[in-house]
Amino acid sequence: MAKRIDVSGLSAFYGGTKAIEDISMTIEPRSVTAFIGPSGCGKSTFLRTLNRMHEVIPGARVEGKVLLDDENLYGPGVDPVAVRRTVGMVFQRPNPFPTMSIYDNVAAGLKLAGVKKKSVLDGIVEQSLKGANLWKEVHNRLNKPGAGLSGGQQQRLCIARAIAVQPEVLLMDEPCSALDPISTLAIEDLIGELKSRFTIVIVTHNMQQAARVSDRTAFFNLAGVGQPGKLIELDDTQRIFSNPSVQATEDYISGRFG
Amino acid sequence: MTSAPPDHPGDRTPASTTPPGQPSTSLRGTGRLGDVLFRLASSGSGVLLLVIMAAIAGFLLYRSGMALSQDKTNFLTTFEWDPDNIVKPSFGIAVLAFGTIVSAAIAMAIAVPIAIGIALFISHYAPRRIAQPFAYLVDLLAAVPSIVYGLWGALYLVPHMAGLNDWLDHYLGWTYVFKVSQHGAPARNLFTVGILLAIMVLPIITAVSREVFRQVPRMHEEAALALGATRWEMVRTAVLPFGRPGIISASMLGLGRALGETIAVATVLSANSKLSLHLLDAGGGTFAQNIALKFGEAGKPGMNALMASGLVLFVITLLVNGGARLIIARRKEYSGANA
């Protein structure tokens, strides 16, 4: 598990509008990489190109290459459905399936992948909920609806659902922005644990969060409204927050704009 | 889920001029005219609905009571319909109940899956520039008057059913239900009526389901896709379960129309009072059709008897709707309404 991501010359479009332009970067396995930058700079768009979720929006398309250990996710004959099984995703707002129980939510991806045996499912569900630090809170109500949990628990349920299919990479799109500080802390602790098993990429608006959870940080920016977003720099988190090499990064993290 | 932020301490200081316990003038409700009017209008409409329902039920009950007091045979289980017979008035509605329920059931069995398919096509599969005109087309079907459907059914569908009937007889005749006992007779039977009703209820079920499917939150669909669901798996995991209560409600609307359809059934079905499980044999009847055919020549007792049969239809509709409500309520906590 956990693979390296190598992006080169990637641009993404919504219809005729270019949202991000010519992004190249390498994301190390078994580490947390944070994407920061002002709203509209394309960091979420870029994240969604990493598991081919960008193209589910009508009219959206991608140019460039994303290598997952040498395999191009945008190569001919690559099935986006298979890509998404390998690269899991957690969204900004907790989105457990409202019509399913806690158990069924975690098992949903496995059932899609064709796992039918109850004993296997039971094992992975328990393991995934434990992996998401949720088992203790829900183990005696697995058959209750997932939507009945608190926001923070729902988000951990979504993480459990994502890791249940054993992806190589876990993408997180502002996973804590709808949560209170205590739930946020729980998720951040969890990210720290999960990075030993997955390659984690997290988009965040919260710079303290980026500084707390990530090993590497990428700063995105856009030249102006309507301009495509670009990668400004990617470096060790410590360096980005203490001594970035680009002035724009320094301005952003010190709160001078954005 | 989240607790309210603590009140600002300054908010608690009472205004010095007002006596304790009384709200200050600035906090007192103003009872704005728009609010009052809106409340009256909306609760008034609600009450009006109850009054109309009660009036219909009361009227039906009163007239049926008059009929049933003269009933010498068993109302619910006999077949003979001759309420104006002075010697032995008979009010058998078994054939009508059977015909109504069976034709509506056939209609639903055909229409619901097709309607869900069309609704999904419009909401999730078709490109937008096709979906919009397609949706209009379906809505247009709902605007065709029943009599046109009835004439089309009688003049086109009935003569063209022979092939399908023979096929069903050949392959499914063993089920008894699809056995044809009079070959060559016109297909003025419950099965043809069911097909016709299916076409008639299709637009309403499609339109309501389509709107429900459109309202499935994007984030649930993306959740499924991000787990590695194909388009169909996404529909199965996120769209259909979320739309389930809506599909049931849509089907109830359709079923209401199928149960109550009058003129189209009367045009196609050759009425008789034989209760036959052979759905492909001509004959049978439905409540609404029977009322339409008989009320012109009915005397006073006959009219009351027709009302009584209307009451039974009313009760059947209530029961079916109640059942549907129960199914929806049973899964309420999974409805997604709290997401």
Side-chain angles (χ1 to χ4, degrees):
Chain A
M1 261 194 289
K3 288 186 173 173
R4 176 191 315 276
I5 306 173
D6 223 321
V7 184
S8 50
L10 188 121
S11 302
F13 303 82
Y14 293 101
T17 320
K18 191 188 263 186
I20 48 174
E21 183 172 69
D22 194 23
I23 291 179
S24 303
M25 69 162 70
T26 301
I27 295 168
E28 299 296 334
R30 288 190 188 76
S31 69
V32 179
T33 303
F35 293 174
I36 60 169
S39 294
C41 69
K43 51 195 188 306
S44 286
T45 303
F46 178 57
L47 189 80
R48 290 167 64 95
T49 64
L50 299 182
N51 67 341
R52 297 194 63 170
M53 279 297 285
H54 175 66
E55 65 206 51
V56 306
I57 296 159
R61 65 196 170 83
V62 174
E63 285 171 7
K65 272 204 292 195
V66 177
L67 298 183
L68 192 66
D69 274 7
D70 303 329
E71 202 177 353
N72 185 6
L73 299 187
Y74 288 93
V78 171
D79 182 3
V81 170
V83 169
R84 293 177 203 133
R85 282 189 184 156
T86 317
V87 183
M89 189 163 204
V90 177
F91 294 83
Q92 182 170 356
R93 285 193 43 207
N95 57 356
F97 297 118
T99 54
M100 291 185 196
S101 67
I102 293 170
Y103 181 99
D104 288 337
N105 260 289
V106 182
L110 297 162
K111 286 183 179 162
L112 289 175
V115 181
K116 289 207 179 70
K117 234 175 136 192
K118 183 90 171 74
S119 57
V120 179
L121 285 174
D122 283 350
I124 302 180
V125 166
E126 177 172 347
Q127 202 184 317
S128 307
L129 283 169
K130 280 179 174 158
N133 290 341
L134 192 59
W135 177 251
K136 278 189 195 136
E137 292 154 68
V138 302
H139 69 93
N140 51 5
R141 47 172 172 153
L142 291 176
N143 291 317
K144 290 278 183 296
L149 299 172
S150 78
Q153 289 173 325
Q154 288 189 22
Q155 194 62 300
R156 277 179 282 147
L157 178 61
C158 293
I159 294 176
R161 180 176 68 186
I163 62 178
V165 290
Q166 313 276 344
E168 310 282 351
V169 179
L170 200 54
L171 307 176
M172 299 182 153
D173 189 358
E174 298 185 43
C176 303
S177 64
L179 305 182
D180 66 88
I182 295 181
S183 309
T184 300
L185 196 64
I187 304 267
E188 288 181 6
D189 287 346
L190 178 57
I191 292 172
E193 291 168 25
L194 291 174
K195 76 170 178 180
S196 60
R197 293 161 55 199
F198 305 100
T199 306
I200 295 180
V201 186
I202 177 173
V203 169
T204 177
H205 264 295
N206 179 335
M207 280 182 278
Q208 287 80 17
Q209 180 169 67
R212 281 194 300 263
V213 302
S214 72
D215 304 296
R216 309 257 295 162
T217 298
F219 173 62
F220 292 77
N221 204 354
L222 70 174
V225 177
Q227 302 283 322
K230 290 182 179 174
L231 174 66
I232 304 300
E233 66 172 311
L234 166 67
D235 211 331
D236 288 343
T237 298
Q238 242 187 343
R239 231 177 103 73
I240 289 276
F241 283 97
S242 58
N243 186 22
S245 43
V246 181
Q247 183 61 36
T249 315
E250 166 103 53
D251 290 348
Y252 182 73
I253 59 165
S254 58
R256 273 197 278 276
F257 83 98
Chain B
M1 217 173 285
T2 51
S3 58
D7 289 338
H8 194 274
D11 292 343
R12 302 223 161 197
T13 359
S16 53
T17 50
T18 40
Q22 290 285 319
S24 68
T25 26
S26 63
L27 292 181
R28 209 171 284 157
T30 50
R32 285 172 210 202
L33 185 64
D35 260 350
V36 175
L37 284 180
F38 180 73
R39 198 177 60 230
L40 285 178
S42 59
S43 38
S45 315
V47 170
L48 187 65
L49 176 74
L50 289 180
V51 170
I52 293 173
M53 289 295 283
I56 294 174
F59 173 74
L60 287 176
L61 273 173
Y62 173 69
R63 296 293 292 263
S64 340
M66 287 167 58
L68 294 183
S69 64
Q70 295 169 14
D71 184 17
K72 298 280 186 296
T73 56
N74 192 319
F75 177 58
L76 290 174
T77 54
T78 54
F79 305 157
E80 201 56 44
W81 182 266
D82 192 7
D84 287 321
N85 189 321
I86 304 164
V87 185
K88 184 177 177 280
S90 43
F91 304 81
I93 58 149
V95 173
L96 305 179
F98 176 79
T100 305
I101 291 171
V102 165
S103 60
I106 295 171
M108 298 315 283
I110 298 172
V112 170
I114 296 178
I116 292 175
I118 299 175
L120 281 176
F121 174 74
I122 293 172
S123 66
H124 283 83
Y125 283 86
R128 203 172 304 169
R129 75 199 137 76
I130 297 180
Q132 203 61 46
F134 203 81
Y136 278 129
L137 202 69
V138 175
D139 289 348
L140 263 183
L141 273 181
V144 178
S146 319
I147 182 66
V148 176
Y149 279 111
L151 290 173
W152 176 77
L155 300 176
Y156 182 86
L157 197 56
V158 167
H160 286 83
M161 284 297 287
L164 179 61
N165 285 359
D166 288 345
W167 187 87
L168 285 170
D169 179 42
H170 190 259
Y171 290 100
L172 292 170
W174 56 270
T175 57
Y176 189 81
V177 173
F178 292 114
K179 183 106 197 89
V180 177
S181 47
Q182 324 147 265
H183 283 277
R188 299 182 162 278
N189 54 40
L190 286 176
F191 186 69
T192 309
V193 169
I195 291 177
L196 188 64
L197 289 176
I199 299 170
M200 296 177 73
V201 301
L202 196 63
I204 182 76
I205 304 179
T206 306
V208 176
S209 308
R210 180 186 77 210
E211 289 313 310
V212 174
F213 293 156
R214 275 202 185 137
Q215 277 162 24
V216 175
R218 188 79 196 131
M219 62 177 191
H220 296 321
E221 297 174 9
E222 293 204 334
L225 289 175
L227 278 177
T230 61
R231 183 100 71 121
W232 158 238
E233 286 166 340
M234 181 267 280
V235 165
R236 216 183 52 197
T237 349
V239 179
L240 287 180
F242 186 91
R244 193 168 164 273
I247 296 171
I248 295 174
S249 298
S251 307
M252 286 307 113
L253 283 175
L255 182 61
R257 181 162 190 201
L259 287 172
E261 180 49 46
T262 307
I263 197 69
V265 178
T267 320
V268 169
L269 198 61
S270 67
N272 67 17
S273 53
K274 257 190 3 226
L275 187 120
S276 166
L277 280 174
H278 295 303
L279 301 183
L280 299 179
D281 284 352
T286 73
F287 286 115
Q289 170 234 30
N290 186 55
I291 294 173
L293 292 180
K294 302 286 168 61
F295 88 102
E297 60 198 41
K300 181 90 170 133
M303 202 56 115
N304 287 341
L306 289 174
M307 292 300 163
S309 73
L311 179 71
V312 177
L313 178 59
F314 191 73
V315 170
I316 291 177
T317 313
L318 277 184
L319 285 179
V320 171
N321 270 295
R325 288 286 123 207
L326 270 183
I327 295 173
I328 294 174
R330 203 162 46 86
R331 305 246 326 157
K332 193 166 190 172
E333 51 182 357
Y334 288 101
S335 71
N338 52 355

